[in-house]
Amino acid sequence: MHLPASYEYPNAPYFAEYLSFEKEENLFEVLKNQSKEIIDLYDNLPKGQAEFAYAAGKWSLKGLLGHMVDTERIFSYRVLALSRGEKTALPGFDENEYQAASEYETQEALDILAQYKATRVATLVLLNSFSSKQWNQMGQANGKSISARALAWMIAGHEKHHLRIIKERYLSQIS
């Protein structure tokens, strides 16, 4: 699946960051590789390190994983809705409110990782089912005009962003 054209997403800084992939990259391969990296990372965390937060007020590693799960679920729903021609504008969400209500901090990291794995498999199966017409569908999400294709790439971009944060701000302090 090729990258979205510039008219398929808003001209906003975080869209540019999340959609910064090489032209030759394939969405499905990116998502599969990211999944392997996340699973390896969390499977190999030393005991107790999933509770680590790099600064006061920041999410722990398991809270961050939960955030990635929630976000992928929401983005996948948006992709599904747009691919089906949804005319209703889809709402945004406040990740901090979702995080506070999630109770991820009280859950075991391996249980959150199981949610991550199941969510990624469901996302890949969904995305693999789309026709060209469905990928090209445009709609409104979070007050912006966007294509199903761009939202699908946003899943990968969001995870790419957080993988960088994990490496730079978390792992650098616990290694």
Coordinates of all heavy atoms in Angstrom, one line a residue, residues 114-173:
A114 N -0.8 -8.8 25.2 CA -1.8 -9.7 24.5 C -2.8 -8.9 23.7 O -3.2 -9.2 22.6 CB -2.4 -10.7 25.5
Q115 N -3.3 -7.8 24.3 CA -4.2 -6.9 23.6 C -3.6 -6.3 22.4 O -4.2 -6.2 21.4 CB -4.7 -5.8 24.6 CG -5.6 -6.2 25.7 CD -6.1 -5.0 26.4 OE1 -6.8 -4.1 25.8 NE2 -5.9 -5.0 27.7
Y116 N -2.3 -5.9 22.6 CA -1.6 -5.3 21.4 C -1.5 -6.3 20.3 O -1.8 -6.0 19.1 CB -0.2 -4.9 21.9 CG 0.7 -4.5 20.7 CD1 0.7 -3.2 20.2 CD2 1.5 -5.4 20.1 CE1 1.4 -2.9 19.1 CE2 2.3 -5.1 19.0 CZ 2.2 -3.8 18.5 OH 3.0 -3.4 17.4
K117 N -1.1 -7.6 20.6 CA -1.0 -8.6 19.5 C -2.3 -8.8 18.8 O -2.4 -8.9 17.6 CB -0.5 -9.9 20.1 CG 0.9 -9.9 20.6 CD 1.3 -11.2 21.3 CE 2.7 -11.1 21.9 NZ 3.0 -12.4 22.7
A118 N -3.4 -8.9 19.6 CA -4.7 -9.2 19.0 C -5.2 -8.0 18.2 O -5.8 -8.2 17.1 CB -5.7 -9.5 20.1
T119 N -4.9 -6.8 18.7 CA -5.3 -5.6 17.9 C -4.6 -5.5 16.6 O -5.1 -5.2 15.6 CB -5.1 -4.3 18.8 OG1 -5.8 -4.5 20.0 CG2 -5.4 -3.1 18.0
R120 N -3.3 -5.8 16.6 CA -2.5 -5.7 15.4 C -2.9 -6.7 14.4 O -3.0 -6.4 13.2 CB -1.0 -5.9 15.7 CG 0.0 -5.8 14.5 CD -0.2 -4.5 13.6 NE -0.2 -3.3 14.3 CZ 0.9 -2.5 14.5 NH1 2.0 -2.9 13.9 NH2 0.8 -1.4 15.1
V121 N -3.2 -7.9 14.8 CA -3.7 -9.0 13.9 C -5.0 -8.5 13.3 O -5.2 -8.6 12.0 CB -3.8 -10.3 14.6 CG1 -4.6 -11.3 13.7 CG2 -2.5 -10.9 14.9
A122 N -5.9 -8.0 14.1 CA -7.2 -7.5 13.6 C -7.0 -6.4 12.6 O -7.7 -6.3 11.6 CB -8.1 -7.1 14.7
T123 N -6.1 -5.5 12.9 CA -5.8 -4.3 12.0 C -5.3 -4.8 10.6 O -5.8 -4.4 9.6 CB -4.8 -3.4 12.6 OG1 -5.4 -2.8 13.8 CG2 -4.4 -2.3 11.7
L124 N -4.4 -5.7 10.7 CA -3.8 -6.2 9.4 C -4.9 -7.0 8.6 O -4.9 -6.8 7.4 CB -2.6 -7.1 9.7 CG -1.4 -6.4 10.1 CD1 -0.3 -7.4 10.7 CD2 -0.8 -5.6 9.0
V125 N -5.7 -7.8 9.2 CA -6.7 -8.5 8.5 C -7.7 -7.5 7.9 O -8.1 -7.6 6.7 CB -7.5 -9.5 9.4 CG1 -8.7 -10.1 8.7 CG2 -6.5 -10.6 9.8
L126 N -8.1 -6.5 8.6 CA -9.0 -5.5 8.1 C -8.4 -4.8 6.9 O -9.0 -4.7 5.9 CB -9.4 -4.5 9.2 CG -10.1 -3.2 8.8 CD1 -11.6 -3.6 8.3 CD2 -10.2 -2.2 9.9
L127 N -7.2 -4.3 7.1 CA -6.6 -3.5 6.0 C -6.4 -4.3 4.8 O -6.5 -3.8 3.6 CB -5.3 -2.9 6.5 CG -5.3 -1.9 7.7 CD1 -4.0 -1.4 8.0 CD2 -6.3 -0.7 7.4
N128 N -6.1 -5.6 5.0 CA -5.8 -6.5 3.8 C -7.1 -6.7 3.0 O -7.0 -7.2 1.9 CB -5.2 -7.8 4.3 CG -4.5 -8.5 3.2 OD1 -3.8 -7.9 2.4 ND2 -4.7 -9.8 3.1
S129 N -8.2 -6.4 3.6 CA -9.5 -6.7 2.9 C -10.0 -5.6 2.0 O -10.9 -5.8 1.2 CB -10.6 -7.0 3.9 OG -11.0 -5.7 4.6
F130 N -9.3 -4.5 2.0 CA -9.8 -3.3 1.3 C -9.5 -3.3 -0.2 O -8.4 -3.7 -0.6 CB -9.2 -2.0 1.8 CG -9.6 -1.6 3.2 CD1 -9.0 -0.7 3.9 CD2 -10.8 -2.2 3.8 CE1 -9.4 -0.3 5.2 CE2 -11.2 -1.8 5.0 CZ -10.5 -0.9 5.7
S131 N -10.4 -2.8 -1.0 CA -10.2 -2.6 -2.4 C -9.6 -1.2 -2.6 O -9.5 -0.4 -1.7 CB -11.6 -2.6 -3.1 OG -12.4 -1.5 -2.7
S132 N -9.2 -0.9 -3.9 CA -8.7 0.4 -4.2 C -9.7 1.5 -3.9 O -9.3 2.6 -3.4 CB -8.3 0.5 -5.7 OG -7.2 -0.4 -5.9
K133 N -10.9 1.2 -4.2 CA -12.0 2.2 -3.9 C -12.1 2.5 -2.4 O -12.2 3.7 -2.0 CB -13.3 1.7 -4.4 CG -14.5 2.6 -4.2 CD -15.8 2.0 -4.6 CE -16.9 2.9 -4.2 NZ -18.3 2.4 -4.5
Q134 N -12.0 1.5 -1.6 CA -12.1 1.7 -0.2 C -10.9 2.5 0.4 O -11.0 3.3 1.2 CB -12.2 0.3 0.5 CG -13.6 -0.3 0.2 CD -13.7 -1.7 0.7 OE1 -12.7 -2.5 0.5 NE2 -14.8 -2.1 1.3
W135 N -9.7 2.2 -0.1 CA -8.5 2.9 0.3 C -8.6 4.4 0.0 O -8.1 5.2 0.7 CB -7.3 2.4 -0.4 CG -6.7 1.1 0.2 CD1 -6.6 -0.1 -0.4 CD2 -6.2 1.0 1.6 NE1 -6.1 -1.0 0.5 CE2 -5.8 -0.4 1.7 CE3 -6.0 1.8 2.6 CZ2 -5.2 -0.9 2.9 CZ3 -5.4 1.3 3.8 CH2 -5.1 0.0 3.9
N136 N -9.3 4.7 -1.1 CA -9.4 6.1 -1.6 C -10.5 6.9 -1.0 O -10.6 8.1 -1.2 CB -9.5 6.1 -3.1 CG -8.3 5.6 -3.8 OD1 -7.2 5.9 -3.3 ND2 -8.5 4.9 -4.9
Q137 N -11.4 6.3 -0.2 CA -12.5 7.0 0.4 C -12.0 8.1 1.3 O -11.1 7.9 2.1 CB -13.4 6.0 1.2 CG -14.1 5.0 0.4 CD -15.4 5.6 -0.2 OE1 -15.5 6.8 -0.3 NE2 -16.3 4.7 -0.6
M138 N -12.7 9.2 1.2 CA -12.4 10.4 2.1 C -13.5 10.6 3.1 O -14.6 10.3 2.8 CB -12.2 11.6 1.2 CG -11.1 11.6 0.2 SD -9.4 11.7 0.9 CE -9.4 13.4 1.6
G139 N -13.2 11.2 4.2 CA -14.2 11.5 5.2 C -13.6 12.5 6.2 O -12.5 13.0 6.0
Q140 N -14.3 12.7 7.3 CA -14.0 13.6 8.3 C -13.6 12.8 9.6 O -14.5 12.1 10.1 CB -15.1 14.6 8.6 CG -15.4 15.5 7.5 CD -14.4 16.6 7.4 OE1 -13.9 17.2 8.4 NE2 -13.9 16.9 6.1
A141 N -12.5 13.1 10.2 CA -12.1 12.5 11.5 C -11.4 13.6 12.3 O -10.5 14.3 11.7 CB -11.2 11.3 11.3
N142 N -11.8 13.8 13.5 CA -11.2 14.8 14.4 C -11.2 16.2 13.7 O -10.3 16.9 13.9 CB -9.8 14.3 14.7 CG -9.3 15.0 16.0 OD1 -10.0 15.5 16.8 ND2 -8.0 15.1 16.1
G143 N -12.3 16.5 13.0 CA -12.5 17.8 12.4 C -11.6 18.0 11.1 O -11.5 19.1 10.7
K144 N -11.0 17.0 10.6 CA -10.2 17.1 9.4 C -10.6 16.2 8.3 O -11.1 15.1 8.6 CB -8.7 16.8 9.8 CG -8.2 17.5 11.0 CD -7.8 18.9 10.7 CE -7.0 19.4 11.9 NZ -7.3 20.8 12.2
S145 N -10.4 16.6 7.1 CA -10.6 15.7 5.9 C -9.4 14.8 5.7 O -8.3 15.3 5.7 CB -10.9 16.6 4.7 OG -11.1 15.8 3.6
I146 N -9.7 13.5 5.6 CA -8.6 12.5 5.5 C -9.1 11.3 4.8 O -10.3 11.0 4.8 CB -8.1 12.2 6.9 CG1 -6.8 11.4 6.9 CG2 -9.2 11.5 7.8 CD1 -6.0 11.4 8.2
S147 N -8.2 10.6 4.2 CA -8.5 9.3 3.4 C -8.4 8.1 4.4 O -7.6 8.2 5.4 CB -7.7 9.2 2.2 OG -6.3 8.8 2.6
A148 N -9.0 7.0 4.0 CA -8.8 5.8 4.7 C -7.3 5.4 4.6 O -6.7 4.9 5.6 CB -9.7 4.7 4.1
R149 N -6.7 5.6 3.5 CA -5.3 5.3 3.3 C -4.4 6.1 4.3 O -3.5 5.5 5.0 CB -4.8 5.5 1.9 CG -3.3 5.2 1.6 CD -2.8 5.6 0.2 NE -3.7 6.2 -0.6 CZ -4.6 5.6 -1.5 NH1 -4.5 4.3 -1.6 NH2 -5.4 6.2 -2.3
A150 N -4.6 7.3 4.4 CA -3.8 8.2 5.3 C -4.0 7.7 6.7 O -3.0 7.7 7.5 CB -4.2 9.7 5.1
L151 N -5.2 7.4 7.1 CA -5.5 7.0 8.5 C -4.7 5.6 8.8 O -4.2 5.4 9.9 CB -6.9 6.8 8.8 CG -7.7 8.1 9.2 CD1 -9.2 7.9 9.2 CD2 -7.2 8.6 10.5
A152 N -4.7 4.8 7.8 CA -4.0 3.5 8.0 C -2.5 3.7 8.2 O -1.9 3.1 9.1 CB -4.3 2.6 6.8
W153 N -2.0 4.6 7.4 CA -0.5 5.0 7.5 C -0.3 5.7 8.9 O 0.8 5.6 9.5 CB 0.0 5.8 6.4 CG 0.4 5.0 5.2 CD1 -0.3 4.7 4.1 CD2 1.7 4.3 5.1 NE1 0.4 3.9 3.2 CE2 1.6 3.7 3.8 CE3 2.8 4.3 5.8 CZ2 2.7 2.9 3.3 CZ3 3.9 3.5 5.4 CH2 3.8 2.9 4.1
M154 N -1.3 6.4 9.4 CA -1.2 7.1 10.7 C -1.0 6.0 11.8 O -0.3 6.3 12.8 CB -2.4 7.9 11.0 CG -2.5 9.2 10.1 SD -1.3 10.4 10.5 CE -1.9 11.0 12.1
I155 N -1.6 4.9 11.7 CA -1.4 3.8 12.7 C 0.1 3.5 12.7 O 0.7 3.5 13.8 CB -2.2 2.5 12.3 CG1 -3.7 2.8 12.4 CG2 -1.8 1.4 13.2 CD1 -4.6 1.7 11.8
A156 N 0.7 3.3 11.6 CA 2.2 3.0 11.5 C 3.0 4.2 12.0 O 4.0 4.1 12.7 CB 2.6 2.6 10.1
G157 N 2.6 5.4 11.6 CA 3.3 6.6 12.0 C 3.2 6.9 13.5 O 4.2 7.3 14.2
H158 N 2.1 6.6 14.1 CA 1.9 6.8 15.6 C 2.8 5.8 16.3 O 3.5 6.2 17.3 CB 0.4 6.6 15.9 CG 0.2 6.7 17.4 ND1 0.0 5.6 18.2 CD2 0.0 7.8 18.2 CE1 -0.2 6.1 19.4 NE2 -0.2 7.4 19.4
E159 N 2.9 4.6 15.8 CA 3.7 3.6 16.5 C 5.2 3.9 16.3 O 6.0 3.8 17.2 CB 3.4 2.2 16.0 CG 4.1 1.1 16.8 CD 3.4 -0.2 16.8 OE1 2.2 -0.2 17.1 OE2 4.0 -1.2 16.6
K160 N 5.5 4.4 15.1 CA 6.9 4.8 14.8 C 7.4 5.9 15.8 O 8.5 5.9 16.3 CB 7.0 5.3 13.4 CG 8.4 5.8 12.9 CD 8.3 6.2 11.5 CE 9.5 6.9 11.0 NZ 9.4 7.3 9.6
H161 N 6.5 6.8 16.0 CA 6.7 7.9 16.9 C 7.0 7.4 18.3 O 8.0 7.8 19.0 CB 5.5 8.9 16.9 CG 5.5 9.9 18.1 ND1 6.3 11.0 18.1 CD2 4.8 9.9 19.2 CE1 6.0 11.6 19.2 NE2 5.1 11.0 19.9
H162 N 6.1 6.5 18.8 CA 6.3 6.0 20.1 C 7.5 5.0 20.3 O 8.1 4.9 21.4 CB 5.0 5.4 20.7 CG 4.0 6.5 21.1 ND1 4.3 7.3 22.1 CD2 2.8 6.8 20.6 CE1 3.3 8.2 22.2 NE2 2.4 7.9 21.3
L163 N 7.8 4.3 19.2 CA 9.0 3.5 19.3 C 10.2 4.3 19.5 O 11.2 4.0 20.2 CB 9.2 2.6 18.0 CG 8.4 1.3 18.0 CD1 8.3 0.7 16.6 CD2 9.0 0.3 19.0
R164 N 10.3 5.5 18.8 CA 11.4 6.4 19.0 C 11.4 6.9 20.4 O 12.5 7.0 21.1 CB 11.2 7.6 18.0 CG 12.4 8.6 18.1 CD 12.3 9.7 17.1 NE 11.0 10.4 17.2 CZ 10.7 11.3 18.1 NH1 11.5 11.6 19.1 NH2 9.5 11.9 18.1
I165 N 10.3 7.3 21.0 CA 10.2 7.8 22.4 C 10.7 6.7 23.3 O 11.4 7.0 24.3 CB 8.7 8.2 22.7 CG1 8.3 9.3 21.8 CG2 8.6 8.5 24.2 CD1 8.9 10.7 22.1
I166 N 10.2 5.5 23.1 CA 10.7 4.3 24.0 C 12.2 4.2 24.0 O 12.8 4.1 25.0 CB 10.0 3.0 23.6 CG1 8.5 3.0 23.9 CG2 10.7 1.8 24.2 CD1 7.7 1.9 23.3
K167 N 12.8 4.3 22.8 CA 14.2 4.1 22.7 C 15.0 5.3 23.3 O 16.0 5.1 24.0 CB 14.6 3.9 21.2 CG 14.2 2.6 20.7 CD 14.4 2.5 19.2 CE 13.8 1.3 18.6 NZ 13.9 1.3 17.1
E168 N 14.5 6.5 23.0 CA 15.2 7.7 23.4 C 15.0 8.0 24.9 O 16.0 8.5 25.6 CB 14.8 8.9 22.6 CG 15.3 8.8 21.2 CD 14.7 10.0 20.3 OE1 14.0 10.9 20.9 OE2 15.0 10.0 19.1
R169 N 13.8 7.8 25.4 CA 13.5 8.3 26.8 C 13.3 7.2 27.8 O 13.4 7.5 29.0 CB 12.2 9.2 26.7 CG 12.4 10.4 25.8 CD 11.2 11.2 25.8 NE 11.3 12.2 24.7 CZ 10.3 13.0 24.3 NH1 9.1 12.9 24.9 NH2 10.5 13.9 23.4
Y170 N 13.0 6.0 27.4 CA 12.8 5.0 28.4 C 14.0 4.0 28.4 O 14.7 3.9 29.4 CB 11.5 4.1 28.0 CG 10.2 4.9 28.2 CD1 9.7 5.7 27.3 CD2 9.5 4.7 29.4 CE1 8.5 6.4 27.5 CE2 8.3 5.3 29.7 CZ 7.8 6.2 28.7 OH 6.6 6.8 28.9
L171 N 14.3 3.4 27.3 CA 15.3 2.4 27.3 C 16.7 2.9 27.6 O 17.5 2.3 28.2 CB 15.4 1.6 26.0 CG 14.1 0.8 25.6 CD1 14.3 0.1 24.3 CD2 13.7 -0.1 26.7
S172 N 16.9 4.2 27.2 CA 18.2 4.8 27.5 C 18.4 5.0 29.0 O 19.6 5.1 29.5 CB 18.3 6.2 26.8 OG 17.3 7.1 27.4
Q173 N 17.4 5.0 29.8 CA 17.5 5.1 31.3 C 17.5 3.8 32.0 O 17.8 3.8 33.2 CB 16.4 6.1 31.8 CG 16.5 7.5 31.3 CD 15.5 8.4 32.0 OE1 15.3 8.3 33.2 NE2 15.0 9.3 31.2

